[in-house]
Amino acid sequence: MSQLEEEEYRLNKLEPFQRMASSTKIDMAKYSTMDPSEARSLLPREIWKGLLREGMMVILGGESKAKKSWLSLSLGMAMVASDEFLGIGISQPLEGERRVRVLDFELMEGNIMSRFVAMSERFDEDEAHRAIWNQVDIHHHRTIESAVDWIEHVSMHCEEMDRGDLLIVDCLQALDLGDHNDQGIIRRELSRLQAVATRTGVCVLIVDHFNKSSEAKGKNRISGSIAKAAAVDLIILIEADGSFIKLSFEHRMDPPINPITLAFDSPSEGFRVVTEEEKADRKEATDNKKREERIALMFPDRSGRYTKAEIATNIARSPDTAVVWIKEFVEVIETHTPGGKLPNLYSLKKDA
């Protein structure tokens, strides 16, 4: 190969990288005179205040049956029909109407639509009711059998939507991307989608399952969590919190937000924020129930008298544990000392 040919080969090889360098270089001059107090104005426009912004990619992760799909669908409905969700404000589009698309890969059509119909009861005003039926599109993929480049497919939906719209993908595990624990694969595939979301301004929310690890906590339970944390702008975690649900957030753009405790009483009522007073009342009720259950085990005959050994048999625990339980309920247990070598007897006080 001649020197001229070598030079031409080198230039051809470098040309794609030179184009990339030119297209990615930021014009620093337009920011140089900006006051630092205006810095946050450079962030993409908010959609769900303090959480979702235009062009963001978000993962909603949680255990199986944690109501991830319920939450994502409920959020989507609120995005077009309400000015708030879970007490957090929703910004309306600057022009036109916001649209939401749900790409469902797991549920049967009847399953997802039964949820939608049940939750539609909350939107009883004409305008809100019209919005959820006209501005939310649901695409059902469970019957698709052919091999598809799913990231390309999701990207196509982004291209068809407008800045500030919301695209929900439920769920990531159903997309055949390869090994979901392979960080290289996951990072590469999500980066493709991230680029389209950033360019179009569509907010993409991806539902993701926790792995089966019982040792990892929070976002570390998401398969390939390091790669996903690097690719997305926000991770929302939905986890059991006793009889309630805890929603927590891992941000990249916005200041931290404290976890939110939720209740899901019925599909028609949807999710609601639980107050600290209600949490305390529920904990007290749970503790009282546990207390009554333990007392019932210790004293199957509430008027009877039992030795420590008999109480241990009743609760199917060791005598040492029986002593711990007796001390725990000392205010309702009466101790009887027969004297001599006879063991103490225990009974419930009359007003217990």
Side-chain angles (χ1 to χ4, degrees):
M1 183 182 293
S2 68
Q3 185 175 355
L4 182 62
E5 288 173 329
E6 287 181 357
E7 180 65 16
E8 185 177 354
Y9 173 78
R10 186 183 69 82
L11 291 175
N12 289 337
K13 188 175 181 181
L14 288 177
E15 185 181 2
F17 297 100
Q18 289 171 337
R19 287 200 306 268
M20 187 185 300
S22 176
S23 66
T24 57
K25 184 178 179 181
I26 294 175
D27 179 6
M28 304 293 284
K30 69 179 183 180
Y31 300 110
S32 62
T33 59
M34 177 173 280
D35 191 286
S37 64
E38 300 177 276
R40 288 191 62 77
S41 69
L42 298 174
L43 294 175
R45 187 171 182 268
E46 288 181 313
I47 301 174
W48 192 25
K49 294 185 178 178
L51 290 169
L52 303 187
R53 291 179 178 272
E54 294 177 353
M56 285 180 64
M57 195 158 70
V58 182
I59 281 182
L60 169 61
E63 298 171 326
S64 178
K65 312 300 181 186
K67 294 192 165 45
K68 301 183 296 295
S69 297
W70 286 98
L71 185 73
S72 63
L73 188 58
S74 187
L75 171 62
M77 296 168 82
M79 281 289 168
V80 301
S82 180
D83 59 1
E84 65 87 27
F85 182 61
L86 306 182
I88 301 173
I90 294 173
S91 301
Q92 298 308 308
L94 293 176
E95 56 182 40
E97 297 175 329
R98 174 173 292 120
R99 301 199 65 85
V100 173
R101 287 193 189 183
V102 180
L103 310 186
D104 185 80
F105 291 85
E106 280 200 316
L107 300 176
M108 292 183 178
E109 181 177 337
N111 195 175
I112 188 170
M113 290 313 300
S114 69
R115 295 182 179 188
F116 194 94
V117 171
M119 288 195 291
S120 70
E121 184 178 337
R122 289 178 294 133
F123 303 98
D124 53 1
E125 295 181 8
D126 289 344
E127 187 176 344
H129 191 266
R130 241 186 342 265
I132 65 169
W133 290 102
N134 294 339
Q135 295 167 232
V136 177
D137 299 321
I138 298 178
H139 295 253
H140 178 246
H141 293 78
R142 181 163 160 156
T143 58
I144 305 299
E145 298 177 3
S146 57
V148 175
D149 182 341
W150 288 116
I151 295 297
E152 189 69 24
H153 175 72
V154 176
S155 298
M156 179 209 72
H157 282 278
C158 278
E159 298 283 5
E160 295 179 347
M161 300 174 76
D162 294 325
R163 181 168 297 276
D165 287 349
L166 176 65
L167 179 63
I168 298 170
V169 182
D170 191 1
C171 67
L172 187 62
Q173 270 72 13
L175 307 187
D176 185 13
L177 308 179
D179 183 359
H180 279 256
N181 287 305
D182 187 320
Q183 295 179 11
I185 292 174
I186 293 300
R187 183 69 174 94
R188 182 176 64 248
E189 294 300 311
L190 290 184
S191 293
R192 291 171 58 199
L193 182 54
Q194 183 188 49
V196 178
T198 302
R199 179 167 49 77
T200 61
V202 174
C203 182
V204 179
L205 186 148
I206 304 171
V207 178
D208 194 21
H209 294 318
F210 279 171
N211 58 38
K212 296 181 179 179
S213 170
S214 58
E215 296 180 1
K217 302 295 182 183
K219 70 177 183 180
N220 294 322
R221 288 197 61 192
I222 297 176
S223 301
S225 57
I226 295 176
K228 291 173 184 174
V232 302
D233 303 293
L234 170 66
I235 295 177
I236 303 175
L237 301 175
I238 181 169
E239 303 170 89
D241 184 12
S243 57
F244 296 121
I245 299 166
K246 183 176 77 171
L247 208 62
S248 54
F249 312 94
E250 295 280 346
H251 295 260
R252 175 174 288 177
M253 293 191 194
D254 288 289
I257 291 181
N258 291 331
I260 302 173
T261 301
L262 306 176
F264 187 77
D265 300 320
S266 71
S268 60
E269 294 174 292
F271 293 89
R272 63 178 177 83
V273 178
V274 176
T275 64
E276 290 299 320
E277 183 180 2
E278 183 179 354
K279 285 173 65 176
D281 290 344
R282 184 71 65 90
K283 183 179 185 305
E284 183 179 358
T286 301
D287 290 345
N288 288 340
K289 182 180 178 183
K290 180 180 176 181
R291 173 188 178 87
E292 288 302 316
E293 288 173 349
R294 285 196 168 189
I295 290 173
L297 283 176
M298 295 169 70
F299 299 96
D301 176 2
R302 293 186 71 89
S303 61
R305 295 185 177 187
Y306 297 90
T307 64
K308 178 180 68 177
E310 289 171 335
I311 290 176
T313 300
N314 292 341
I315 66 175
R317 300 286 196 280
S318 68
D320 288 342
T321 302
V323 171
V324 172
W325 285 29
I326 290 168
K327 290 180 179 178
E328 182 179 347
F329 304 113
V330 66
E331 75 279 4
V332 297
I333 293 177
E334 189 171 355
T335 303
H336 306 273
T337 308
K341 295 184 178 180
L342 293 175
N344 288 346
L345 297 173
Y346 303 93
S347 68
L348 290 176
K349 294 179 180 178
K350 291 182 180 180
D351 56 351

